[in-house]
Amino acid sequence: MASLDDIGERLAEIRGRMFLASLVSGFLAALYSLFLAGILTLPVKELTRAVRQLEQGRLGQQVPVQGRDELGELAAAFNTMSNKLAAVDRSRRQFLADASHELKTPLSSIKALAQSLLDACETDPGVS
C-alpha cells in the first residue's frame, strides 16, 4: 500500500510534467499561429504594396488573384482599376501631345507674322 507521501510525490511529478507539456504546447501553438498569420496576411501585404506603388504614380500595378474569396475579389477589382487608370493616363498624355502639336503650328504662324510686322515697322521710315 502506498503512503500519502508517495502519492503526493507522484502528484507533484505529474503536475510538473503537465506544466512542462503545457508550456511546450503553448510555445508550439504560438509558432504555428505566427506561421499561419504570415501565410494568411500575404495577399493583404501584396495588395498594400501595389496600392503604395499606385499612390506614387506607378500606374498599371497588378496583384496576383488567389482564390474566389473576398481578397481574391478585391485583388481583381484592384487590377481592373489599375488598368483603367493606366489607360486614362495614356489617353491624357496622347491628348496633351496632340493638342500641343496642333497649337504649335498656329502659334508659329502668329509669331512669324508678328516678327515680320515688327521688321516692317523698323525698315519703313514713314511709320512713326
Side-chain angles (χ1 to χ4, degrees):
M1 186 137 135
S3 70
L4 288 177
D5 290 337
D6 290 339
I7 293 174
E9 287 176 19
R10 292 292 278 162
L11 284 175
E13 182 182 322
I14 291 171
R15 194 176 300 128
R17 287 185 181 180
M18 288 182 69
F19 180 73
L20 182 62
S22 296
L23 282 177
V24 170
S25 297
F27 180 72
L28 291 176
L31 283 179
Y32 186 67
S33 296
L34 288 173
F35 174 72
L36 278 180
I39 289 174
L40 293 175
T41 59
L42 185 62
V44 175
K45 289 178 182 178
E46 288 177 350
L47 187 59
T48 302
R49 179 200 51 79
V51 168
R52 298 249 186 266
Q53 295 289 319
L54 193 67
E55 178 183 42
Q56 294 175 359
R58 296 185 192 119
L59 303 177
Q61 293 294 314
Q62 299 291 298
V63 292
V65 178
Q66 300 169 351
R68 296 184 176 190
D69 58 352
E70 291 83 3
L71 285 175
E73 289 179 25
L74 184 60
F78 174 83
N79 290 341
T80 301
M81 178 195 66
S82 182
N83 288 335
K84 287 183 178 180
L85 282 173
V88 166
D89 188 58
R90 280 191 301 274
S91 296
R92 181 185 62 86
R93 289 177 190 268
Q94 185 62 45
F95 173 77
L96 288 175
D98 292 345
S100 174
H101 177 72
E102 292 298 322
L103 289 175
K104 281 182 184 175
T105 303
L107 286 177
S108 296
S109 298
I110 292 170
K111 183 179 177 183
L113 180 60
Q115 187 63 43
S116 67
L117 288 174
L118 286 173
D119 291 344
C121 287
E122 290 175 2
T123 58
D124 189 1
V127 177
S128 40

